[in-house]
Amino acid sequence: MPYQLGSDFKKDFPILSTVLPNGKQLVYLDNAATTQKPLSVIKRIYDFYIHENANVARSAHYLGEKTTVAYADARKKVAKFINASEDEIVFTSGSTEALNMVSYGWESYVSEGDELVVMTGEHHSDFVPWQQLAIRKHALFKVVPVKDDGTINIDEVMKAVTSKTKIVACAHVTNSFGVINPVEQISEIAHSKGAIFVVDGAQSVPSISTDVKKMGADFLAFSGHKMLGPMGIGVLYISKDKLEKFNPFLTGGGMIDEVKNEYTTFACAPDRYEAGTPNVEGAIGLATAIDYLNDIGMENILDHERNLLGYSYSKLEKEDRLILYGPKDFTKRAGVLTFNIKGVHPHDVSAVLDSFGIAIRSGHHCAQPILRSLKVQFNATARASFYIYNSESDIDALCDAIEDVKRRF
């Protein structure tokens, strides 16, 4: 695009012009939770309901054909975005459903005494499903410890993964501190022991160019709403060599080949994993968001986030009472600024910042194990997370508001 990331992009996002009831201009810094939507995505969903709305792969009429083609085109676009083939792409409601699909779809390959390995820094969506699978199957649930800065020690991964390990799960980017994990190395370790490798890409796919083949992922999950797309749409990538081995999580309409009183045969992938009416508007909205991101260039997005992170550190690193979490090497991070103010609960920090119009996230961020492991005060942090429409002026506003928090408390 002919303009710079940051302020020039705000015009594409109507919600960013919001003025709060107290008269403050919205400064949106909660992108790790969800991103805002550009006009192109909003308009595409609107146009779908005006011109195309019908069920897919069911009705032999004009609208049914248009919708089916649009849905298929969305799958193609998603596949190309992560270097996969179309039959390896399954649409879900989001990363949470996708990861649960794997935990149930691969359950028959886990037996009593087997091992499931996760990292301490996982989001609960990539922690609890494996924990619960271990409980169901009487398997051993192993959690790999992290360093004080939230990064992974590869030696600890190598110790944890053994010949008994059946599944290794890891986020590409952690939502707690924005740490970029060495997924290619972890994939090699998992596969060397015969385990499958599951990647939570919810925080990485929106910001980092993703190649599932290079990554060595057997499964990859991500969500549309964290990458400019609608809520309620997600993706589960299933590598081709796992497609026929993977058991459907849901059964019903749309995923069958033939149903008889005695038995049912299932459709080919990916249809067999998409029971019921799919979220068609979500899929085409996600495809439109991918168009927008491709126009920018994924390599530019991560650079922009890191520039904002560096600018934040230049203003905050020497502030008294301020605790900054995560590695200081920004090549190991995406655009997540996690912090605390000594003696002040993050919810209070967030409330004061909100009075300035600044939207951040506070709490445990669905990542209690790592906060507990690192003995973070209140088991909670404040988190500002950046995306394509944020600028240095947003960081300036954040830093001024943090100073006000310190004055008040």
Side-chain angles (χ1 to χ4, degrees), residues 1 3 7-16 36-42 292 296 388-389:
M1 287 188 173
Y3 39 88
S7 297
D8 285 344
F9 274 68
K10 291 185 189 296
K11 65 180 180 58
D12 289 344
F13 296 81
I15 202 168
L16 297 181
Q36 299 304 336
K37 321 307 173 193
L39 271 169
S40 59
V41 171
I42 297 169
Y292 192 96
I296 295 170
I388 59 172
Y389 37 66

Short mmCIF file of all heavy atoms in Angstrom, two decimals, residues 1 3 7-16 36-42 292 296 388-389:
data_model
loop_
_atom_site.label_atom_id
_atom_site.label_comp_id
_atom_site.label_asym_id
_atom_site.label_seq_id
_atom_site.Cartn_x
_atom_site.Cartn_y
_atom_site.Cartn_z
N MET A 1 0.84 -1.20 0.00
CA MET A 1 0.00 0.00 0.00
C MET A 1 0.88 1.25 0.00
O MET A 1 1.98 1.23 0.54
CB MET A 1 -0.91 0.00 1.23
CG MET A 1 -2.05 -1.02 1.15
SD MET A 1 -3.22 -0.82 2.49
CE MET A 1 -4.47 -1.98 1.96
N TYR A 3 0.84 3.94 1.67
CA TYR A 3 0.97 4.73 2.88
C TYR A 3 1.50 3.86 4.00
O TYR A 3 1.54 2.65 3.91
CB TYR A 3 -0.35 5.38 3.28
CG TYR A 3 -1.57 4.52 3.10
CD1 TYR A 3 -2.00 3.66 4.09
CD2 TYR A 3 -2.29 4.56 1.91
CE1 TYR A 3 -3.11 2.87 3.93
CE2 TYR A 3 -3.41 3.76 1.73
CZ TYR A 3 -3.82 2.92 2.75
OH TYR A 3 -4.92 2.13 2.56
N SER A 7 -1.24 5.47 11.70
CA SER A 7 -2.32 6.45 11.62
C SER A 7 -3.04 6.45 10.27
O SER A 7 -4.26 6.63 10.21
CB SER A 7 -1.78 7.85 11.91
OG SER A 7 -1.28 7.93 13.22
N ASP A 8 -2.30 6.26 9.18
CA ASP A 8 -2.92 6.28 7.85
C ASP A 8 -3.98 5.19 7.69
O ASP A 8 -4.87 5.30 6.85
CB ASP A 8 -1.86 6.13 6.76
CG ASP A 8 -1.05 7.40 6.57
OD1 ASP A 8 -1.50 8.45 7.05
OD2 ASP A 8 0.02 7.33 5.96
N PHE A 9 -3.89 4.14 8.49
CA PHE A 9 -4.83 3.03 8.35
C PHE A 9 -6.11 3.23 9.15
O PHE A 9 -7.09 2.52 8.92
CB PHE A 9 -4.15 1.73 8.79
CG PHE A 9 -3.38 1.05 7.70
CD1 PHE A 9 -2.23 1.63 7.18
CD2 PHE A 9 -3.81 -0.14 7.15
CE1 PHE A 9 -1.52 1.02 6.17
CE2 PHE A 9 -3.10 -0.75 6.13
CZ PHE A 9 -1.96 -0.18 5.64
N LYS A 10 -6.09 4.15 10.09
CA LYS A 10 -7.26 4.33 10.96
C LYS A 10 -8.52 4.64 10.16
O LYS A 10 -9.62 4.26 10.55
CB LYS A 10 -6.99 5.42 12.00
CG LYS A 10 -5.96 5.05 13.05
CD LYS A 10 -5.84 6.13 14.10
CE LYS A 10 -4.66 5.90 15.04
NZ LYS A 10 -4.78 4.68 15.84
N LYS A 11 -8.37 5.31 9.05
CA LYS A 11 -9.53 5.71 8.27
C LYS A 11 -10.30 4.51 7.71
O LYS A 11 -11.49 4.62 7.38
CB LYS A 11 -9.11 6.62 7.12
CG LYS A 11 -8.22 5.95 6.07
CD LYS A 11 -7.83 6.90 4.96
CE LYS A 11 -6.94 6.23 3.93
NZ LYS A 11 -7.56 5.04 3.31
N ASP A 12 -9.63 3.36 7.60
CA ASP A 12 -10.29 2.16 7.09
C ASP A 12 -11.12 1.45 8.15
O ASP A 12 -11.83 0.49 7.83
CB ASP A 12 -9.26 1.17 6.55
CG ASP A 12 -8.62 1.65 5.26
OD1 ASP A 12 -9.17 2.58 4.64
OD2 ASP A 12 -7.57 1.10 4.86
N PHE A 13 -11.04 1.91 9.40
CA PHE A 13 -11.68 1.23 10.52
C PHE A 13 -12.64 2.18 11.22
O PHE A 13 -12.23 2.98 12.08
CB PHE A 13 -10.62 0.71 11.50
CG PHE A 13 -9.71 -0.32 10.91
CD1 PHE A 13 -8.64 0.06 10.10
CD2 PHE A 13 -9.94 -1.67 11.10
CE1 PHE A 13 -7.81 -0.89 9.52
CE2 PHE A 13 -9.11 -2.63 10.53
CZ PHE A 13 -8.04 -2.24 9.74
N PRO A 14 -13.92 2.12 10.88
CA PRO A 14 -14.88 3.10 11.39
C PRO A 14 -14.90 3.21 12.91
O PRO A 14 -15.05 4.31 13.46
CB PRO A 14 -16.22 2.57 10.87
CG PRO A 14 -15.89 1.76 9.68
CD PRO A 14 -14.55 1.15 9.96
N ILE A 15 -14.73 2.09 13.62
CA ILE A 15 -14.86 2.11 15.07
C ILE A 15 -13.76 2.93 15.73
O ILE A 15 -13.92 3.42 16.85
CB ILE A 15 -14.87 0.67 15.63
CG1 ILE A 15 -15.52 0.65 17.01
CG2 ILE A 15 -13.48 0.07 15.64
CD1 ILE A 15 -15.83 -0.75 17.51
N LEU A 16 -12.63 3.10 15.04
CA LEU A 16 -11.52 3.84 15.64
C LEU A 16 -11.79 5.34 15.72
O LEU A 16 -11.03 6.07 16.36
CB LEU A 16 -10.23 3.57 14.87
CG LEU A 16 -9.75 2.11 14.87
CD1 LEU A 16 -8.45 1.97 14.11
CD2 LEU A 16 -9.58 1.59 16.31
N GLN A 36 -10.03 -4.88 15.32
CA GLN A 36 -11.16 -4.21 14.70
C GLN A 36 -11.24 -4.59 13.21
O GLN A 36 -10.32 -5.20 12.67
CB GLN A 36 -11.03 -2.69 14.89
CG GLN A 36 -11.03 -2.27 16.36
CD GLN A 36 -12.26 -2.76 17.12
OE1 GLN A 36 -13.32 -3.01 16.53
NE2 GLN A 36 -12.13 -2.89 18.43
N LYS A 37 -12.36 -4.25 12.59
CA LYS A 37 -12.62 -4.72 11.24
C LYS A 37 -12.60 -3.56 10.24
O LYS A 37 -13.26 -2.53 10.47
CB LYS A 37 -13.99 -5.41 11.16
CG LYS A 37 -14.35 -6.26 12.37
CD LYS A 37 -13.28 -7.30 12.73
CE LYS A 37 -13.63 -7.98 14.04
NZ LYS A 37 -12.51 -8.75 14.61
N PRO A 38 -11.92 -3.74 9.12
CA PRO A 38 -11.90 -2.68 8.11
C PRO A 38 -13.22 -2.64 7.35
O PRO A 38 -13.98 -3.61 7.32
CB PRO A 38 -10.75 -3.08 7.19
CG PRO A 38 -10.68 -4.57 7.31
CD PRO A 38 -11.08 -4.88 8.73
N LEU A 39 -13.45 -1.53 6.71
CA LEU A 39 -14.69 -1.35 5.93
C LEU A 39 -14.85 -2.44 4.87
O LEU A 39 -15.98 -2.88 4.59
CB LEU A 39 -14.68 0.02 5.25
CG LEU A 39 -15.27 1.18 6.06
CD1 LEU A 39 -14.95 2.51 5.37
CD2 LEU A 39 -16.78 1.01 6.23
N SER A 40 -13.77 -2.89 4.29
CA SER A 40 -13.87 -3.91 3.23
C SER A 40 -14.49 -5.20 3.76
O SER A 40 -15.29 -5.84 3.08
CB SER A 40 -12.50 -4.19 2.62
OG SER A 40 -11.59 -4.65 3.60
N VAL A 41 -14.14 -5.58 4.99
CA VAL A 41 -14.71 -6.79 5.59
C VAL A 41 -16.17 -6.57 5.95
O VAL A 41 -17.03 -7.42 5.68
CB VAL A 41 -13.89 -7.20 6.83
CG1 VAL A 41 -14.59 -8.32 7.60
CG2 VAL A 41 -12.48 -7.64 6.43
N ILE A 42 -16.46 -5.43 6.55
CA ILE A 42 -17.84 -5.11 6.93
C ILE A 42 -18.74 -5.09 5.71
O ILE A 42 -19.84 -5.66 5.70
CB ILE A 42 -17.88 -3.76 7.67
CG1 ILE A 42 -17.07 -3.84 8.97
CG2 ILE A 42 -19.31 -3.33 7.93
CD1 ILE A 42 -16.83 -2.50 9.63
N TYR A 292 -6.91 -8.04 2.61
CA TYR A 292 -6.43 -6.78 3.19
C TYR A 292 -5.00 -6.96 3.72
O TYR A 292 -4.12 -6.12 3.47
CB TYR A 292 -7.38 -6.34 4.30
CG TYR A 292 -7.18 -4.93 4.81
CD1 TYR A 292 -7.94 -3.87 4.32
CD2 TYR A 292 -6.24 -4.67 5.80
CE1 TYR A 292 -7.76 -2.58 4.80
CE2 TYR A 292 -6.05 -3.38 6.28
CZ TYR A 292 -6.81 -2.34 5.78
OH TYR A 292 -6.63 -1.07 6.26
N ILE A 296 -1.06 -5.43 2.44
CA ILE A 296 -0.07 -4.79 3.31
C ILE A 296 1.27 -5.50 3.21
O ILE A 296 2.33 -4.87 3.13
CB ILE A 296 -0.54 -4.79 4.78
CG1 ILE A 296 -1.80 -3.93 4.93
CG2 ILE A 296 0.55 -4.31 5.72
CD1 ILE A 296 -2.47 -4.08 6.28
N ILE A 388 -1.93 -3.10 13.03
CA ILE A 388 -1.55 -2.29 11.88
C ILE A 388 -1.97 -0.83 11.98
O ILE A 388 -1.34 0.05 11.40
CB ILE A 388 -2.11 -2.90 10.58
CG1 ILE A 388 -3.64 -2.99 10.65
CG2 ILE A 388 -1.50 -4.25 10.31
CD1 ILE A 388 -4.29 -3.40 9.35
N TYR A 389 -3.06 -0.55 12.70
CA TYR A 389 -3.60 0.82 12.76
C TYR A 389 -3.10 1.60 13.97
O TYR A 389 -3.51 2.74 14.17
CB TYR A 389 -5.13 0.79 12.77
CG TYR A 389 -5.74 -0.36 13.54
CD1 TYR A 389 -5.62 -0.47 14.93
CD2 TYR A 389 -6.43 -1.36 12.87
CE1 TYR A 389 -6.16 -1.53 15.62
CE2 TYR A 389 -6.98 -2.43 13.55
CZ TYR A 389 -6.84 -2.51 14.93
OH TYR A 389 -7.38 -3.57 15.62
#
